Amino acid sequence: MFQNQPTLGEESIDGIVSHLLYIGYDQRTVLRLALAASGTDTDVDEVTALGSALFGCKPGESLRLTGVWADHPRHGRQFKVRLCERTMPAGVRAIRLYLASGMIRGIGPILASSIVDRFGEETLNVIDTAPDQLLQVFGIGAKRLAGILEAWREQRAIAELMVFLQGLGIFPTLAVKIYQHYSKVDQNPLTAVRNSPYTLCRDVRGIGFVTADRIALAGGIPKHSQERLQAALLATLDQSVTRGDCHLSTEDLMNRTRRLLKDDDRATVRFLHGDVLGGALADLRRSGYVVMESIPLRVEEGVDVFRSVDIVSNPRMHRAESALAHHVMGMLSTDTRTTAAPWQQCLDATPEAGDLTSEQRQGVLNAFTRPLSVLTGGPGCGKTHTLRTVVELADSAGLKIALGAPTGKAAKRLEQLTGQPAQTVHRLLHAPEGNTLFDHSSMLEAAQLVVVDEASMLDVQLAAQLFGKIPHGCHLLLVGDTDQLPSVGPGLVLRDLLAVPAIPRTRLTKIFRQADASSAIVDNAHRVLHGHRPIAGPPTFSMYPRLDRDALADDVVRFVTSRPKDVSAEEIQVLCPSKKHAAGLTDLNIRLQAALNPPMANKAEQHHDGRVLRTGDRVVQTRTNRHLGVLNGSTGVITAIETDAARLTVDFEGLTIVYPFTDLDDLLHSYAMTVHRSQGSEYPYVIIVLPESVPALLTRNLLYTAITRARSRVFLLYQDRAVSWAVNNISSNRRNTALEHRIARGDMAVPSSRHKPPEQLV
């Protein structure tokens, strides 16, 4: 299926990657390849090679490329690559470039030259078979030698994996991720891939069922095997979780799995429509890999008519949702409705309360008289003022209050608004490892009132942890806007809680007309919320229609680079709906990095997973890493890249984090971010990019959320249909959740251990 030999008209060339010229959002890569015909440092030619097969290649790698030559009218002769194979470097120049590239930790350019000068073409053979001879080279002692040999063994193992994966047409960049995972658990990576290919879906981030299935089928696993069918069912269920669902109906799960497995084999299609797939699901249930139950589902939105539906959850989601329902019911059962009179008197004596509306007063009183309450409302409706009053009243009453938000940005903003310390929810729940002087979780244990802002960002797992840690007798106030995008993680926690009549809530509806320039932003946010297109409102809300996506991307770069002198690039945040396609996240970050932080001789670089990380780059952490002590959503700047030490340093607004090169998967450029990633943050200037690329992602919640991220000015760059699609699409409100049902039925029992999957899946 995957041809490793040149076809008619093709040829193969060998060389070393000199440097990368371009990496596109579509993985199209252009690089310079050094050809060393004589195998020496002289008689060298360089050619330009291009193609998506080159994605993930790094400077210093030796490649064998298969393709055809072509003449470009502007760029001259180029080699169009169909197939890219990694090879071991041959010849003095190739070996020197390979060692100097940083591929082998502990060897930099100077040491690489010393080693090659000493051993010449025998260098790699010496490292492989007689490594002690390296001690003859000045600068290499026993400790450095041990590090070099460890890195050398790692590269050999990765190269072995690459060869195996290339034969299946799989990007070799995945070999590094596979090696890193299995080496941490003392497993042979190649053995694990061959013997248990479907575990890659769960073990290695970036590998889905399709890739694992290709490896499995190539290894001889039958298409109709129970192992394959069960892996497909679990992969379908896991994929639904990444899209926000806590469960799938049995019928939906079966249909989605059939589509995942469907191919041109008619026998396979007939086979999947029998009872065998259902049998595979039943086996998963008996083994504890899934939880199956029946729940009532509304026949129509807003109508109390239900029908019973069979659903399937993975145990992790079932435990989280059931535990959250259990904790909510526990708080509601202790609601003794503290008399409001004393708090009304305290509120009247609070300076902040002078101009509160009746809605706002009720929201404040709920926080002090009810164990659990919700304060919600859109922009300009006074949530901030109400929240300040709650904090001021708690402070004057001598209550111990804990303030939190789901992200670092949101927590910092909450702290600025209230003048009181605020932490991320993660920090409130967990003390920093190895540091008992700053145990933020003790704040939660002693709290009498807990306030969580931006509560619409709470996913079901984080909410379950939070509710489970609220001390007995403590009050919890959730503040958020249900019209924003739902949480990145699964669930619709805030929306589901508001659907439970027993939970007291205050919805702020009065819009306070603002005298400042931000009124056009607030007005347009509410226009979108009510299904109307935004309208230009100079000078704070500007709209720029464009015919094609490339024009949108060009305008973004032009807007950022031609900004006024008194506006820094860091004050501007570009927001877009999706990662892929032209004018998407990847494309915009590539363009903005080239414009704002181009390569220079004094700027170190590290190539990771097809992207170039450079000193001075703006970056964002996309997943909480407790080992490093950095939280999801933290933004910072790369301050140092040390190739010899294989580490990269980021300044997260005063917090310095050192990343080993093996931990860079979750570090992305942040010149542009998705709207989802921007939740809980506020920026002086926001450029919203709305291309017509992915209609399903263009929703009313997305546009509303993007607009409300701006504090001073919005630039909306769009294709016309994209705005209409976004305003009319309310599908992002729909997720498969059962929290409302579990609370309504009094789900007081914490999930039993019989729903716990085998240990290796936890």
Side-chain angles (χ1 to χ4, degrees):
M1 181 178 179
F2 302 98
Q3 300 181 30
N4 292 319
Q5 300 296 325
T7 59
L8 185 64
E10 290 185 330
E11 63 177 279
S12 294
I13 59 174
D14 294 88
I16 312 100
V17 179
S18 173
H19 58 280
L20 299 177
L21 299 174
Y22 173 77
I23 303 173
Y25 66 91
D26 54 359
Q27 300 185 334
R28 181 175 176 269
T29 303
V30 184
L31 55 78
R32 293 289 287 174
L33 193 75
L35 306 175
S38 65
T40 67
D41 281 354
T42 60
D43 190 23
V44 175
D45 192 15
E46 281 196 349
V47 299
T48 299
L50 69 156
S52 59
L54 299 174
F55 181 74
C57 290
K58 302 178 181 179
E61 285 188 320
S62 290
L63 307 177
R64 173 164 295 159
L65 307 180
T66 301
V68 296
W69 291 100
D71 290 315
H72 191 278
R74 180 179 174 186
H75 301 295
R77 199 166 190 235
Q78 300 174 331
F79 192 73
K80 292 188 174 181
V81 179
R82 177 181 64 85
L83 177 68
C84 171
E85 300 173 88
R86 268 70 171 180
T87 62
M88 289 305 293
V92 172
R93 173 179 171 79
I95 295 171
R96 191 187 306 276
L97 285 172
Y98 173 70
L99 294 181
S101 68
M103 297 285 288
I104 307 298
R105 292 192 306 276
I107 300 180
I110 296 175
L111 189 56
S113 292
S114 298
I115 295 173
V116 176
D117 288 345
R118 175 69 180 80
F119 300 108
E121 293 189 1
E122 290 298 310
T123 296
L124 299 185
N125 186 50
V126 167
I127 297 175
D128 206 28
T129 61
D132 287 348
Q133 293 188 35
L134 292 176
L135 294 171
Q136 301 172 18
V137 178
F138 178 77
I140 298 181
K143 185 176 181 180
R144 173 167 277 190
L145 176 61
I148 291 173
L149 294 182
E150 181 184 354
W152 173 255
R153 286 190 292 269
E154 176 182 311
Q155 286 301 314
R156 292 299 297 266
I158 291 173
E160 188 180 19
L161 265 176
M162 284 181 174
V163 171
F164 176 73
L165 295 176
Q166 283 175 168
L168 302 175
I170 296 171
F171 276 122
T173 51
L174 292 177
V176 178
K177 294 184 177 182
I178 294 171
Y179 175 85
Q180 289 172 354
H181 173 80
Y182 288 109
S183 61
K184 288 179 181 177
V185 294
D186 295 325
Q187 283 185 262
N188 182 290
L190 189 56
T191 301
V193 169
R194 285 174 168 161
N195 294 346
S196 306
Y198 288 116
T199 62
L200 292 171
C201 301
R202 298 186 295 271
D203 291 343
V204 183
R205 192 179 183 189
I207 296 183
F209 175 82
V210 173
T211 299
D213 194 42
R214 187 183 297 174
I215 296 172
L217 294 178
I221 293 179
K223 283 187 174 182
H224 304 163
S225 68
Q226 285 290 299
E227 181 182 4
R228 182 173 187 246
L229 299 183
Q230 290 180 7
L233 285 163
L234 290 175
T236 302
L237 201 56
D238 287 344
Q239 187 179 50
S240 74
V241 171
T242 64
R243 294 175 178 173
D245 292 322
C246 293
H247 64 258
L248 288 177
S249 70
T250 304
E251 180 182 5
D252 194 15
L253 173 61
M254 302 288 274
N255 289 336
R256 293 190 192 192
T257 304
R258 290 188 183 104
R259 288 195 294 270
L260 180 63
L261 292 169
K262 187 176 180 180
D263 56 20
D264 294 331
D265 184 347
R266 292 184 178 180
T268 299
V269 175
R270 290 198 302 272
F271 176 81
L272 293 176
H273 280 79
D275 295 330
V276 181
L277 195 58
L281 181 60
D283 286 343
L284 288 174
R285 180 185 189 181
R286 283 191 290 269
S287 302
Y289 285 91
V290 299
V291 179
M292 300 178 67
E293 57 188 323
S294 294
I295 65 168
L297 185 71
R298 291 183 189 274
V299 175
E300 184 179 341
E301 188 73 24
V303 178
D304 288 336
V305 178
F306 299 86
R307 63 183 176 90
S308 181
V309 177
D310 294 330
I311 65 169
V312 184
S313 316
N314 76 31
R316 182 165 44 93
M317 288 298 100
H318 182 268
R319 284 198 304 273
E321 202 171 50
S322 297
L324 178 55
H326 166 78
H327 297 313
V328 170
M329 289 298 298
M331 295 184 77
L332 294 179
S333 68
T334 61
D335 189 349
T336 57
R337 303 202 178 194
T338 305
T339 177
W343 287 108
Q344 287 176 340
Q345 294 174 5
C346 293
L347 180 59
D348 291 337
T350 303
E352 289 277 354
D355 54 354
L356 291 178
T357 66
S358 58
E359 291 176 336
Q360 291 173 315
R361 288 181 65 89
Q362 188 59 55
V364 173
L365 293 174
N366 280 346
F368 294 96
T369 60
R370 310 296 290 274
L372 172 63
S373 62
V374 178
L375 175 67
T376 185
C381 290
K383 286 200 308 296
T384 298
H385 183 47
T386 308
L387 184 53
R388 282 201 199 100
T389 305
V390 169
V391 174
E392 178 66 26
L393 182 56
D395 192 49
S396 63
L399 296 183
K400 294 180 180 178
I401 183 170
L403 301 179
T407 67
K409 285 275 191 182
K412 185 175 181 179
R413 183 164 167 259
L414 177 59
E415 187 171 288
Q416 293 169 342
L417 292 174
T418 62
Q420 297 283 350
Q423 306 292 336
T424 64
V425 175
H426 282 93
R427 285 274 167 85
L428 287 175
L429 293 172
H430 306 289
E433 293 182 3
N435 187 345
T436 57
L437 294 178
F438 300 97
D439 185 352
H440 303 300
S441 63
S442 62
M443 295 172 55
L444 189 59
E445 294 168 2
Q448 295 167 289
L449 173 64
V450 176
V451 178
V452 176
D453 196 15
E454 299 289 353
S456 63
M457 299 173 64
L458 288 174
D459 62 60
V460 68
Q461 292 171 287
L462 184 58
Q465 292 181 57
L466 172 65
F467 276 65
K469 289 287 185 73
I470 299 296
H472 180 72
C474 178
H475 289 206
L476 173 62
L477 170 64
L478 301 178
V479 183
D481 184 352
T482 56
D483 294 310
Q484 289 189 22
L485 282 170
S487 58
V488 175
L492 282 171
V493 173
L494 188 61
R495 190 181 298 274
D496 285 347
L497 291 178
L498 286 172
V500 178
I503 297 177
R505 81 289 311 277
T506 304
R507 183 180 296 275
L508 304 179
T509 57
K510 180 180 178 181
I511 302 175
F512 294 89
R513 293 293 170 187
Q514 299 173 341
D516 61 21
S518 64
S519 60
I521 299 174
V522 173
D523 288 345
N524 274 314
H526 285 280
R527 284 185 60 83
V528 169
L529 191 58
H530 292 94
H532 304 299
R533 290 172 64 100
I535 56 177
T540 58
F541 200 100
S542 304
M543 300 178 64
Y544 301 89
R546 292 294 181 265
L547 294 177
D548 61 79
R549 287 173 286 183
D550 283 335
L552 288 180
D554 291 339
D555 276 349
V556 169
V557 176
R558 180 171 60 83
F559 275 43
V560 174
T561 55
S562 62
R563 65 189 182 277
K565 291 183 179 180
D566 60 338
V567 177
S568 67
E570 290 71 27
E571 292 180 283
I572 303 173
Q573 185 59 59
V574 178
L575 301 179
C576 56
S578 64
K579 297 179 181 179
K580 300 180 180 179
H581 309 287
L585 178 73
T586 304
D587 183 28
L588 291 171
N589 271 319
I590 290 171
R591 292 171 183 254
L592 289 168
Q593 183 195 36
L596 298 174
N597 191 33
M600 297 178 66
N602 63 341
K603 289 183 179 179
E605 295 181 347
Q606 171 62 18
H607 296 258
H608 182 82
D609 202 18
R611 61 186 185 274
V612 182
L613 296 169
R614 185 176 298 135
T615 53
D617 273 343
R618 288 167 57 183
V619 290
V620 59
Q621 176 72 14
T622 60
R623 188 167 57 171
T624 295
N625 187 325
R626 293 196 65 206
H627 173 69
L628 291 176
V630 60
L631 300 173
N632 179 17
S634 299
T635 56
V637 177
I638 298 175
T639 56
I641 297 176
E642 302 167 84
T643 303
D644 288 2
R647 62 189 186 186
L648 178 152
T649 304
V650 180
D651 178 10
F652 288 105
E653 298 179 344
L655 175 66
T656 299
I657 299 294
V658 178
Y659 287 79
F661 283 172
T662 54
D663 283 342
L664 296 178
D665 279 358
D666 303 320
L667 197 64
L668 300 180
H669 292 105
S670 65
Y671 299 103
M673 291 198 294
T674 61
V675 180
H676 251 122
R677 183 67 58 196
S678 72
Q679 286 189 90
S681 299
E682 189 178 74
Y683 313 95
Y685 306 93
V686 168
I687 298 176
I688 304 172
V689 187
L690 285 189
E692 296 174 357
S693 306
V694 191
L697 294 180
L698 297 173
T699 65
R700 186 179 299 177
N701 300 84
L702 180 135
L703 181 53
Y704 171 79
T705 303
I707 291 172
T708 55
R709 297 310 91 204
R711 185 165 62 246
S712 301
R713 189 165 184 184
V714 170
F715 300 88
L716 179 58
L717 281 62
Y718 64 99
Q719 290 180 273
D720 192 65
R721 288 191 300 175
V723 174
S724 297
W725 290 339
V727 167
N728 295 317
N729 184 359
I730 58 172
S731 62
S732 66
N733 295 339
R734 302 178 191 131
R735 286 183 172 184
N736 294 318
T737 66
L739 180 61
E740 177 190 356
H741 155 69
R742 298 188 194 284
I743 295 173
R745 78 179 184 189
D747 200 353
M748 295 294 290
V750 176
S752 66
S753 59
R754 69 186 179 88
H755 287 149
K756 186 177 181 180
E759 190 64 31
Q760 65 267 26
L761 287 189
V762 178

